[in-house]
Amino acid sequence: MCAAREGRRGRRQRALLCYVLVAAWEAACGQLRYSVPEELPKGSFVGDVAKDLALQLPTLRDRGARILDRGRTQYFALHANSGHLVTVERLDREQLCRLVERCVLRCEVIVEGEMKVYEIEVEITDINDNAPSFRSAEMELTVIEMAATGSRFPLSKARDPDVGVNSLQSYELSGDEHFSLSVQVGADGEKRPELVLAKALDREETAFHDLVLKAIDGGEPARTGTARIRVSVLDANDNAPVFSQAVYAVRVPEDVPVGSTLLTLTATDVDEGFNANVKYSLKTATDIASETFHLDAETGSIRLVRSLDFEEDDSYHLEAQAQDGGGLFDTSTISISVTDVNDNAPELTVTSALSEISEDAPPGTVVALLHVQDRDSGANGEVRCSLVGDVPFRLRSSVGSYYSVVTSRELDREEVSEYNVTVWASDGGSPSLRSSAVLALRVLDVNDNAPVFAEARYSARLPENNAEGALVLTVRAWDADWGQNARVRYRLAEGRVRGAPLSSYVSVQAETGALYALRSFDYEEVREVGLCVRAEDGGAPALSSNVSVRLLIVDENDNAPQVLYPPSAASAAGAGWTGVELAPRSAEPGALVAKVVAVDADAGQNAWLSYELAKATEPGLFRVGLHSGEVRTARSPLARDAPRHSLVVVVKDQGRPALSATATLTVVLAESVAELLSELGSAAAPAEPGGSLTRWLVLAVAAVSCLFVAFLLLLLALRLRRWRRSQLLPPASGALRGVPASHFVGIDGVRAFLHSYSHEVSLTADSRKSQRRWAADSCCNTLQARPPPDKAAPLLGEDAAGARGAPPDALPVSQSFRTPRRPPSRRLPPFLLIAFPSPCSFPAMDVSC
C-alpha cells in the first residue's frame, strides 16, 4: 500500500513538473493562455500579463505595451499601470463561438520598444445560461390506425447552445400510454428523439393523442425545454414515400449566386390519389441552415437564399422528410459542402513601425513589424510577402504570421534621405490576390561626412601695396550631412611667414570662408604665401578637411631703377673713385667707352630697363644702347671736341607709370693714361681754390646778412623804446615852450635842437635801480665852437667813460650830442631824426628799462 501511495505521489509530481515546463515554454515562446467563464461583467480580471511575461511595470509603461487592433471587436484591454488583462465588455460564449465546442479568443500584445509580439489565448468556458429549446413549441404528427406496434416516428430535436455537461442530456415523454420515447445517439454524439408506438391505435376510440416532450440539460441546476405533440390517427395508408437516396451530398463553391438551386430531392409513393401526394420539409436544421437554404415543399428543390462564406461555415447537414397525404413519411440526410474560392485578399497590417532611423543603424535593425493573414484556405490562404524595388531592407519571418522588416545593409542619408518601402502580400490563388502596405521611413543624419572643398587647391594673385583688409579670395566647402552637421566653419591652420605668425598676414571669415589680407604686402619682401584653410563642421565629434591656398603677390612698379655703375657721387667720394672714363681720340664710331649698369627690385615688365642719353657736352659724339646701357662713340672724335665730356644717362623701367634714375659719366678724350692724368691734373688744380672761394663767399654773405638783420632788429627795438618813452613823458611842445626858435636848426625840413647836453645813465640788472642824471654843466645856451676842419663833426656824441655816482653793478654810459654847423647833405630816414629837449628844464628822474 505504501508503495502504491508513493507511486501516485510521484505521478502527481511529474504531472506538476510537466505543467510547469509547458507553462514556462509557452511564456518563453511569447504565448500565454488564460481561461475565464462567460458572462463576466465588464472590467473583470483575466490574467497578470506583466508577471507572466516577466516584464517590469516601468518597462511596460515606458516601452508602450498595448493590445493590437485588428479591426475587429476588442474584448480585452491591458492596464499599463498594473499589467493586468481585463475584459472590456460582457462575453457571451454562445454568441462568440456558435457551433464550436471550444471557444478561444485570441489577442496580441506588442511591446513597441522591443518590437516583440506576445500571443494570448483566452478560453471562454461555458456556464449553464441557456435552457434546451425546440424549434417549434407545438408539433403535429399523423399516424395511421393500422400502424404496427413498435413503429418509430422521428421528432424534432431540441437545441441547447451550451456545451459539455450544460448541453442537452436527455428527453422525457408524458401524456399517453399508447406512445413511448426512444432516444437514438448518432455517430456524432447527437441525441435524436423518436416516438415509439407502444399500443395499437383505434381511431374510433381516440382520434387525437396529446403528448408533452421535455428536453433536459446537465447543468446545476438543470434547465428544461418542452414541446407539445398532437398525434392524429388516420385511416389506413398502405405505402409510405421513399427517397431516391438515403443521403444527398453536394459540393458547391462559396461564390455560387444567391437564388441558385443546389439540388432537388426526389421521393416516390406507390399509392394513388391523396395518399400519393408527397410533401417535403426539413425536419432537422440549424438556425443558420434554415436562414441559408430553402426547401420547396412541392418540388423538393433546395435553393440558396443567402450567400455562402467558406470562412464562416464550410459544411451544412440537414434532414429532410417526405410525407404523403396519408401521413406516411420517409427521411433523408442532406450534406452540403462549401468549397473555398479565392475571394479574400491577404490582410496586411502594420503592427508597429518606426518613422525615423539613424543612418548608422547596424544591419538587422527592426524597422517594422507586420501581420499578414488570408481568410481563404489551402493554396488560396498561403501568403507570400515581398518588398518592392531595390531597397536596403529585407523581410524576416517572425512568430506565427508575423514578419519583421529589417535593414539589410548600412544606410546612407546622403544617398537616400527618405524611403517609402512597399510591402506586397500575395496569396497562392489563381488568379492571385494581393494587398500592400507602405512604410514611410526618414533617415536621420549622422555626422559621417567631412566638409569637401569645391577645389582641390586654391590660388590667388594679390597686387603688392594692397590695402589692409582687402579681400583675397573666398574658399567654399560643402558638407553632405544635414542640419548642424552640415554647418561649416573656416579657420587658418598654424603657420609662419618670415618669422611672424601667419595670422598677422591673413585672416579667414569663419562663416563665409572669405580670405582677407591684414597687411600691405611688398613683393620685394614676400613673393608667395602658402597657407592651409581648415573647414570644420558642427557635428559631435566634428569632422574637418584642409585645403592649401597659394597666394601669389603680384609686382607693382613701386621701385625705381638703381644704378650700380657708375656709382653715385656720395658713394664714389666715399670709395675714392673719380668716375672718369677714357676714350681714345682715335676711337672709331661704335667703340665701347663705358657701360651703365642698373637693376630694378621689381619683377617682370616692371624690371625691364631701357637706357637713353639725356644730356651730353657734345650731343652727337656719344650714344647709349637702349637695352644694354653701353656707352659707345657715335662718331670719331674731332680735334675741336673738348677733351672732357659729361654724359647724363636716364634709366627707365617699363612699368606704368615708368620710374627712372640718372647716371652721370665723365669721359675724357685721351690717347694714353699719361695724357688722361695730365688732363685730370690740370682740371683738378684750380678746382680746390675755386671750391674754397665759393665756400668763403657763401659764409661771408651769410655773416653780412645776419649782421644786417641784427642791426635792423636793434634799431627797431630802440625806436620802439623811445616811442614808449614819449608816451610816458609830457608833450614836447609844452616842455620846450620857453626855448627860443634860434636854438633849433632845420634838417631837411625838420628842426633839430641845437643845445648840446650830456647825461649819465646808470643801468643795472635790476630795472628798479636804473637811474638817469643830467649833468649840470650841460645846461647852457651857447653853442660850442666848431670843431677843427680835420675832424668830422659827429652827429651823435661819443660815450663818456667813468660815469660818476653809478652803482657798482651798473654800466656807466655818457653821451654828448653836438650840433654841427650845417646839416648833412644826405637825407636821413625819418626814424633817425630825433629831437632831444633840454634837460635843464626838467628835474632829475629815474628811467626804468
Side-chain angles (χ1 to χ4, degrees):
M1 183 178 295
C2 292
R5 187 179 300 111
E6 290 178 359
R8 287 193 298 270
R9 185 181 304 165
R11 285 193 296 271
R12 292 195 193 98
Q13 291 177 352
R14 286 194 295 272
L16 181 60
L17 178 62
C18 290
Y19 176 78
V20 172
L21 291 176
V22 169
W25 179 81
E26 290 178 349
C29 293
Q31 189 172 18
L32 299 177
R33 288 188 174 90
Y34 299 105
S35 177
V36 293
E38 63 174 333
E39 302 296 337
L40 287 178
K42 178 181 178 180
S44 298
F45 174 79
V46 177
D48 193 342
V49 175
K51 178 180 179 181
D52 296 336
L53 292 179
L55 296 176
Q56 301 296 329
L57 290 179
T59 303
L60 203 66
R61 289 192 299 267
D62 298 341
R63 297 189 178 181
R66 59 182 176 85
I67 299 291
L68 286 178
D69 186 5
R70 297 292 181 201
R72 300 189 296 264
T73 304
Q74 293 292 331
Y75 300 104
F76 305 100
L78 181 65
H79 283 176
N81 294 329
S82 62
H84 293 169
L85 187 69
V86 298
T87 60
V88 296
E89 64 178 30
R90 186 182 66 85
L91 302 179
D92 186 356
R93 181 196 167 282
E94 288 74 32
Q95 184 179 0
L96 296 174
C97 306
R98 288 188 301 176
L99 305 178
V100 178
E101 183 174 353
R102 185 171 180 269
C103 183
V104 177
L105 297 181
R106 293 177 175 82
C107 64
E108 294 162 342
V109 174
I110 183 171
V111 181
E112 296 280 0
E114 299 179 354
M115 283 288 183
K116 289 185 178 180
V117 176
Y118 301 93
E119 294 184 355
I120 299 177
E121 291 185 357
V122 180
E123 181 179 0
I124 310 301
T125 59
D126 183 55
I127 63 173
N128 192 24
D129 58 340
N130 292 282
S133 61
F134 294 92
R135 181 195 292 181
S136 178
E138 294 184 357
M139 294 182 288
E140 292 187 356
L141 185 64
T142 57
V143 181
I144 61 173
E145 61 177 343
M146 299 299 294
T149 302
S151 297
R152 295 176 176 270
F153 305 95
L155 301 175
S156 297
K157 296 183 298 182
R159 292 182 61 257
D160 193 335
D162 296 328
V163 295
V165 296
N166 296 323
S167 63
L168 179 65
Q169 298 295 322
S170 61
Y171 292 94
E172 294 181 357
L173 183 66
S174 61
D176 199 327
E177 60 181 2
H178 290 84
F179 297 94
S180 63
L181 182 65
S182 175
V183 179
Q184 302 294 327
V185 180
D188 55 356
E190 189 176 16
K191 297 178 176 61
R192 299 185 179 87
E194 293 182 349
L195 191 63
V196 181
L197 183 60
K199 184 178 179 182
L201 299 176
D202 187 354
R203 184 177 183 282
E204 287 74 17
E205 181 179 347
T206 305
F208 299 97
H209 296 270
D210 292 322
L211 308 174
V212 176
L213 180 61
K214 180 186 294 185
I216 306 170
D217 62 21
E220 290 290 339
R223 292 177 176 268
T224 61
T226 60
R228 300 180 62 84
I229 304 174
R230 164 162 280 201
V231 181
S232 301
V233 182
L234 302 177
D235 284 337
N237 184 15
D238 296 328
N239 298 287
V242 177
F243 279 101
S244 59
Q245 298 178 21
V247 176
Y248 288 90
V250 64
R251 296 174 62 88
V252 294
E254 62 175 329
D255 60 349
V256 63
V258 176
S260 301
T261 300
L262 305 182
L263 77 159
T264 301
L265 305 179
T266 303
T268 58
D269 193 326
V270 297
D271 291 330
E272 294 181 356
F274 179 75
N275 293 330
N277 188 11
V278 178
K279 300 289 187 181
Y280 300 94
S281 63
L282 293 177
K283 298 296 293 181
T284 304
T286 61
D287 294 339
I288 297 178
S290 301
E291 296 172 358
T292 306
F293 307 103
H294 173 71
L295 176 60
D296 191 286
E298 298 295 335
T299 62
S301 60
I302 297 178
R303 185 167 50 88
L304 185 65
V305 295
R306 197 187 70 169
S307 59
L308 299 176
D309 190 351
F310 175 84
E311 289 69 36
E312 292 184 359
D313 287 302
D314 58 353
S315 63
Y316 298 90
H317 299 280
L318 310 174
E319 188 175 4
Q321 176 178 289
Q323 185 175 357
D324 61 14
L328 298 180
F329 60 89
D330 189 13
T331 59
S332 178
T333 301
I334 303 170
S335 177
I336 301 176
S337 299
V338 181
T339 59
D340 185 43
V341 174
N342 191 24
D343 58 344
N344 292 284
E347 297 177 3
L348 185 60
T349 306
V350 180
T351 301
S352 180
L354 299 179
S355 60
E356 298 175 343
I357 185 173
S358 178
E359 64 175 325
D360 61 348
T365 302
V366 179
V367 174
L369 194 62
L370 308 176
H371 180 266
V372 60
Q373 65 176 1
D374 195 318
R375 298 180 62 192
D376 296 325
S377 61
N380 297 330
E382 295 178 359
V383 181
R384 296 180 300 275
C385 294
S386 60
L387 298 179
V388 177
D390 183 17
V391 291
F393 304 97
R394 61 183 176 86
L395 287 171
R396 184 175 64 190
S397 180
S398 187
V399 179
S401 55
Y402 283 91
Y403 288 88
S404 298
V405 179
V406 299
T407 56
S408 59
R409 62 176 184 269
E410 293 183 352
L411 305 178
D412 190 353
R413 192 206 66 84
E414 289 68 41
E415 291 183 1
V416 181
S417 60
E418 291 184 357
Y419 288 95
N420 289 323
V421 183
T422 302
V423 184
W424 283 106
S426 305
D427 59 22
S430 180
S432 177
L433 300 179
R434 64 180 184 175
S435 59
S436 64
V438 178
L439 305 175
L441 188 64
R442 185 163 64 93
V443 182
L444 299 180
D445 183 53
V446 174
N447 191 27
D448 57 347
N449 291 278
V452 177
F453 283 93
E455 300 180 19
R457 61 184 59 85
Y458 288 86
S459 63
R461 300 172 66 87
L462 179 66
E464 65 173 332
N465 304 321
N466 58 283
E468 295 182 0
L471 176 65
V472 178
L473 81 161
T474 300
V475 296
R476 292 289 186 186
W478 285 267
D479 196 312
D481 294 323
W482 181 81
Q484 184 67 23
N485 296 331
R487 184 182 179 184
V488 179
R489 296 180 65 86
Y490 305 89
R491 63 185 179 92
L492 287 177
E494 296 293 334
R496 304 187 74 83
V497 177
R498 297 177 59 87
L502 179 62
S503 57
S504 65
Y505 282 84
V506 292
S507 68
V508 63
Q509 214 283 332
E511 297 295 336
T512 63
L515 200 66
Y516 295 96
L518 298 182
R519 63 170 62 180
S520 179
F521 285 91
D522 188 355
Y523 176 82
E524 287 69 39
E525 294 182 359
V526 179
R527 298 194 174 188
E528 181 178 335
V529 177
L531 53 97
C532 185
V533 178
R534 173 171 295 177
E536 191 173 85
D537 61 24
L543 300 179
S544 62
S545 60
N546 300 328
V547 69
S548 62
V549 179
R550 184 184 180 195
L551 182 59
L552 300 176
I553 308 302
V554 180
D555 183 48
E556 295 285 334
N557 192 26
D558 59 342
N559 291 281
Q562 182 180 359
V563 178
L564 300 180
Y565 185 87
S568 62
S571 60
W577 184 78
T578 59
V580 177
E581 302 291 341
L582 175 63
R585 282 186 174 274
S586 60
E588 297 293 331
L592 179 63
V593 176
K595 183 175 182 178
V596 177
V597 180
V599 294
D600 197 316
D602 295 323
Q605 184 177 352
N606 298 326
W608 295 351
L609 302 180
S610 63
Y611 305 83
E612 62 181 34
L613 188 60
K615 184 179 180 182
T617 304
E618 187 67 34
L621 182 56
F622 300 98
R623 60 181 174 85
V624 177
L626 180 62
H627 299 295
S628 63
E630 295 176 347
V631 180
R632 297 179 181 272
T633 56
R635 60 177 175 81
S636 297
L638 302 176
R640 60 180 174 81
D641 292 332
R644 187 184 183 93
H645 295 267
S646 178
L647 306 179
V648 178
V649 179
V650 177
V651 184
K652 291 183 179 180
D653 57 24
Q654 301 301 316
R656 291 178 181 268
L659 301 179
S660 63
T662 60
T664 302
L665 288 171
T666 301
V667 180
V668 175
L669 298 177
E671 292 295 338
S672 63
V673 175
E675 185 179 354
L676 171 64
L677 293 177
S678 64
E679 178 66 26
L680 291 177
S682 62
E688 181 63 26
S692 177
L693 180 60
T694 301
R695 285 196 297 271
W696 283 111
L697 288 175
V698 171
L699 291 176
V701 171
V704 171
S705 300
C706 291
L707 290 175
F708 180 73
V709 171
F711 179 72
L712 291 179
L713 292 175
L714 179 61
L715 291 179
L716 181 61
L718 292 174
R719 181 68 176 168
L720 291 175
R721 178 181 179 188
R722 288 168 182 170
W723 175 82
R724 184 176 181 183
R725 183 186 300 166
S726 65
Q727 296 295 323
L728 296 175
L729 295 177
S733 60
L736 301 178
R737 183 172 299 172
V739 179
S742 62
H743 289 183
F744 294 87
V745 63
I747 302 177
D748 290 339
V750 180
R751 287 192 172 189
F753 190 49
L754 296 180
H755 282 206
S756 63
Y757 60 91
S758 64
H759 64 275
E760 294 180 357
V761 179
S762 297
L763 301 177
T764 64
D766 189 355
S767 62
R768 291 175 297 178
K769 298 179 180 180
S770 300
Q771 297 178 358
R772 180 176 180 178
R773 289 199 302 246
W774 300 92
D777 55 359
S778 63
C779 296
C780 58
N781 297 324
T782 63
L783 293 174
Q784 293 183 3
R786 177 182 301 176
D790 55 347
K791 290 185 179 180
L795 178 63
L796 298 177
E798 297 179 354
D799 296 339
R804 297 185 301 269
D809 55 351
L811 175 64
V813 179
S814 176
Q815 298 179 353
S816 297
F817 299 88
R818 292 177 176 86
T819 307
R821 167 163 268 182
R822 58 180 180 266
S825 61
R826 189 177 57 168
R827 297 175 64 90
L828 295 177
F831 69 90
L832 294 178
L833 302 180
I834 308 171
F836 295 92
S838 176
C840 298
S841 58
F842 299 98
M845 57 189 307
D846 294 334
V847 180
S848 298
C849 295

